[in-house]
Amino acid sequence: MRKIIVCAPFLPSVMDELRQHFEVVTAPEGSRLRREEVLKALPGAFGLTADGVRVDEEMLEAGRDLKIVVCGGAGYDHIDVEAATKRGVWVCNNPDPVTEPTAEMSVALMLAVCRRVSEWDRLVRKDQYAYWGNAKRMGTTVMDMQLGIIGMGRIGRAVARRARALGMTIVYHNRHHLTSELEEGAKYMDLAKLLRTSDVISLNLPLGASSRKLLGRAEFELMKPTAFVVSTARGAVMDEAALVEALERGKIAGAGLDVFEHEPGIPKALLAMENVVLTPHRGGNADGVMEASMRERARQLMDADSGKIPANLLNP
């Protein structure tokens, strides 16, 4: 049997299936393998599930026998795909199970921050009578707003479908124009115009060299003071310090964030702001989603073991 390394725990039923095909190296139930443990186990390993561990040159050098690296979710910025490709290692992500849940989270954050749901929840728990009927903290309806989607991939298009049902006008910025059947009723805009004209900006793009800190101080200066920013992408797509400054100065109206630059750390300034809704990187997490993702990763490993080209291959 070939050896695989499972860095983060899978469901017992999925682990049982994997053990029928592989020698599985993993951590005790409920824990994760540390980087040094992965490095020690890599010699002779055929596959690696890269969840919670960075796959870089050091990792690939230790795993000279690796043939496939798989990861959950759509993001793969923690894997050096170029280095893996040079060594003949397949890299696969797992976007299908998380597409719809992540789009739902984008819309949930948008509605929560625009309608001040979290803020009202905190206040009414503090004193349900003092805030009943209070007209000083009015929310903003999203109907007829312009939603600017940055990153019109699978998740961005799923956000667009939902936003259209809410009566929003949708524009998008992407590395390239989409064909009309993929645009989901959205209109392409250059980034500066999208930032200047949108009421809500939703970040749904992968993290890479061109997107790192895509939104910084100059970009926040372009936005309306009434604009909201929502992100379920990667924390480093925004300059977090510039975001805090923009919120403190009233350059934008609020933010809904599921991702952060230095997770699990969240800046104290953001934690203290009433006009910011925060969730702990749970966009792709929902009942049944994690099981589907685990089973898909198991299938990718088993397909590679049998000589088949696995699904969602990033470096064919």
Side-chain angles (χ1 to χ4, degrees), residues 75-77 148-152 173 191 195 201-220 223 229-243 256-263 281:
Y76 53 89
D77 48 283
I149 298 174
I150 303 178
M152 198 68 162
H173 180 76
L191 182 59
L195 295 173
I201 291 127
S202 179
L203 299 176
N204 300 103
L205 69 167
L207 176 63
S210 62
S211 63
R212 186 173 295 274
K213 298 199 175 182
L214 180 70
L215 294 192
R217 188 172 187 179
E219 287 72 31
F220 287 116
M223 297 179 197
V229 175
V230 171
S231 181
T232 57
R234 285 289 188 265
V237 169
M238 271 195 292
D239 183 330
E240 215 160 59
L243 170 65
L257 308 172
D258 185 50
V259 290
F260 308 91
E261 267 196 86
H262 306 291
E263 296 178 356
H281 205 146

Side-chain angles (χ1 to χ4, degrees), residues 9-229:
F10 279 15
L11 291 172
S13 60
V14 183
M15 291 298 292
D16 289 344
E17 185 178 5
L18 285 171
R19 287 190 175 104
Q20 292 176 22
H21 294 83
F22 301 104
E23 173 195 345
V24 180
V25 177
T26 191
E29 187 175 348
S31 61
R32 293 169 175 258
L33 289 174
R34 298 188 301 274
R35 180 179 177 87
E36 56 269 25
E37 293 173 320
V38 178
L39 287 167
K40 185 177 179 181
L42 271 170
F46 168 79
L48 171 68
T49 69
D51 300 301
V53 62
R54 179 162 185 79
V55 181
D56 51 18
E57 284 281 5
E58 181 187 22
M59 195 74 73
L60 292 164
E61 177 64 23
R64 292 191 174 191
D65 298 311
L66 274 177
K67 296 302 179 186
I68 181 169
V69 175
V70 302
C71 66
Y76 53 89
D77 48 283
H78 60 301
I79 302 173
D80 189 335
V81 178
E82 183 178 354
T85 303
K86 288 178 181 177
R87 293 173 181 269
V89 179
W90 280 340
V91 179
C92 303
N93 67 343
N94 194 234
D96 294 333
V98 301
T99 294
E100 302 300 332
T102 305
E104 286 180 2
M105 180 63 87
S106 295
V107 174
L109 288 169
M110 175 181 70
L111 291 172
V113 69
C114 289
R115 296 304 308 270
R116 305 179 80 153
V117 173
S118 297
E119 182 181 353
W120 277 118
D121 177 78
R122 289 189 292 269
L123 291 171
V124 79
R125 289 173 188 272
K126 184 188 300 182
D127 189 334
Q128 67 192 76
Y129 298 105
Y131 295 101
W132 200 266
N134 188 304
K136 294 181 180 179
R137 298 170 182 261
M138 303 296 286
T140 305
T141 182
V142 302
M143 187 173 181
D144 297 326
M145 276 188 173
Q146 178 175 296
L147 172 64
I149 298 174
I150 303 178
M152 198 68 162
R154 300 181 193 214
I155 295 171
R157 297 198 298 272
V159 171
R161 290 195 296 273
R162 289 160 171 79
R164 195 168 64 243
L166 292 170
M168 303 183 82
T169 299
I170 308 156
V171 300
Y172 75 95
H173 180 76
N174 215 40
R175 285 176 295 180
H176 51 79
H177 290 252
L178 300 177
T179 56
S180 57
E181 62 268 21
L182 290 178
E183 287 189 318
E184 297 294 346
K187 176 184 177 183
Y188 179 88
M189 271 190 185
D190 66 64
L191 182 59
K193 185 175 180 181
L194 181 149
L195 295 173
R196 284 196 304 268
T197 61
S198 294
D199 301 296
V200 180
I201 291 127
S202 179
L203 299 176
N204 300 103
L205 69 167
L207 176 63
S210 62
S211 63
R212 186 173 295 274
K213 298 199 175 182
L214 180 70
L215 294 192
R217 188 172 187 179
E219 287 72 31
F220 287 116
E221 289 288 335
L222 293 175
M223 297 179 197
K224 299 177 180 181
T226 54
F228 298 90
V229 175

Side-chain angles (χ1 to χ4, degrees), residues 300-312:
Q300 289 167 327
L301 289 164
M302 289 185 284
D303 281 348
D305 183 45
S306 65
K308 297 178 184 177
I309 296 176
N312 298 310

